Amino acid sequence: AIERAGMRPYSNRWSTMLDGLLCSARISKRAFDEVKRRSAREAFKWNVSGDGGEALCDFALLLTPALYRTLSEWAVLLSREAEAVEAELVRRPLVRSVLGVPMRLQMALRSLGRVRGLRYSRFDFHPTARGDFVITEGNLDVAGGWNEAGGVTALFAEHVPSSVGLGDPAAVLAERLLRKLGPGRTVGIMHLTQ
């Protein structure tokens, strides 16, 4: 969620990057129980608790618009970089061998050179104690995070008056696939769970 009011600007220096990340007040136990219930039903977040603890917090993480734009720009750049690396691996078989890419993956990359597939990426940025962000994963094939990102965010936004949800990433993905493939086409997307 993006905070609407009371935002502090941050500089582009790494040491102050987390100034754009804020925690909302805790929501009530009743509201939190509702968020967890609805997260499973509406956002397909089936792992709301596990290993004796909660997988969700009872507060929202809020991003200033400036931090949101920065992380969004990084995600776009990382996606372009991943596509450039893939193209290089397709184009240069020797590089695949030098890097020790397994033979089955090398064969898949070789066939990819003949067939252009669709790509999408979802990067998970996590704050660190150093005051910056790290990427913990870049999911190129799992749809579950798209559902959770829009759905859980919208549920928390209902209980945090100073915030606004950022839309539905899964709907944007579906719209782009429709635009690229046309109506009536079949698309398979995996949804992996633990």
Side-chain angles (χ1 to χ4, degrees):
I2 292 183
E3 184 183 36
R4 289 186 197 160
M7 296 174 289
R8 295 183 303 166
Y10 74 95
S11 75
N12 288 329
R13 294 178 316 141
W14 283 95
S15 61
T16 61
M17 182 143 232
L18 294 185
D19 287 349
L21 182 64
L22 311 161
C23 295
S24 74
R26 287 194 147 108
I27 62 175
S28 71
K29 180 176 179 350
R30 186 173 144 268
F32 186 50
D33 289 342
E34 177 190 344
V35 166
K36 289 188 295 186
R37 228 180 3 266
R38 290 179 61 198
S39 290
R41 268 197 332 257
E42 298 171 26
F44 308 108
K45 179 150 186 72
W46 296 310
N47 60 337
V48 294
S49 62
D51 296 328
E54 300 286 354
L56 296 174
C57 296
D58 59 353
F59 58 88
L61 289 174
L62 305 171
L63 304 177
T64 61
L67 180 57
Y68 174 75
R69 281 190 301 276
T70 297
L71 295 177
S72 296
E73 289 167 7
W74 288 355
V76 169
L77 292 172
L78 287 165
S79 183
R80 287 182 186 150
E81 185 175 346
E83 288 182 18
V85 167
E86 180 183 289
E88 193 71 8
L89 288 172
V90 166
R91 195 173 63 79
R92 298 180 59 194
L94 181 59
V95 172
R96 296 192 301 254
S97 296
V98 169
L99 291 174
V101 174
M103 190 52 69
R104 289 180 68 188
L105 183 54
Q106 286 193 43
M107 290 170 30
L109 286 168
R110 192 175 311 124
S111 68
L112 182 64
R114 296 187 301 269
V115 179
R116 181 67 185 136
L118 295 172
R119 299 286 180 272
Y120 65 82
S121 305
R122 177 184 56 84
F123 296 97
D124 291 353
F125 295 99
H126 290 265
T128 71
R130 295 185 316 258
D132 60 1
F133 288 86
V134 296
I135 305 166
T136 57
E137 59 186 311
N139 289 307
L140 305 175
D141 61 345
V142 180
W146 294 86
N147 298 328
E148 292 175 14
V152 175
T153 298
L155 293 173
F156 268 100
E158 292 175 13
H159 299 283
V160 181
S162 66
S163 69
V164 60
L166 297 174
D168 184 356
V172 172
L173 175 63
E175 175 193 317
R176 300 270 166 84
L177 288 171
L178 177 63
R179 192 179 323 147
K180 179 80 173 174
L181 299 173
R185 302 292 301 269
T186 301
V187 176
I189 298 178
M190 297 185 300
H191 183 99
L192 304 177
T193 59
Q194 296 174 334

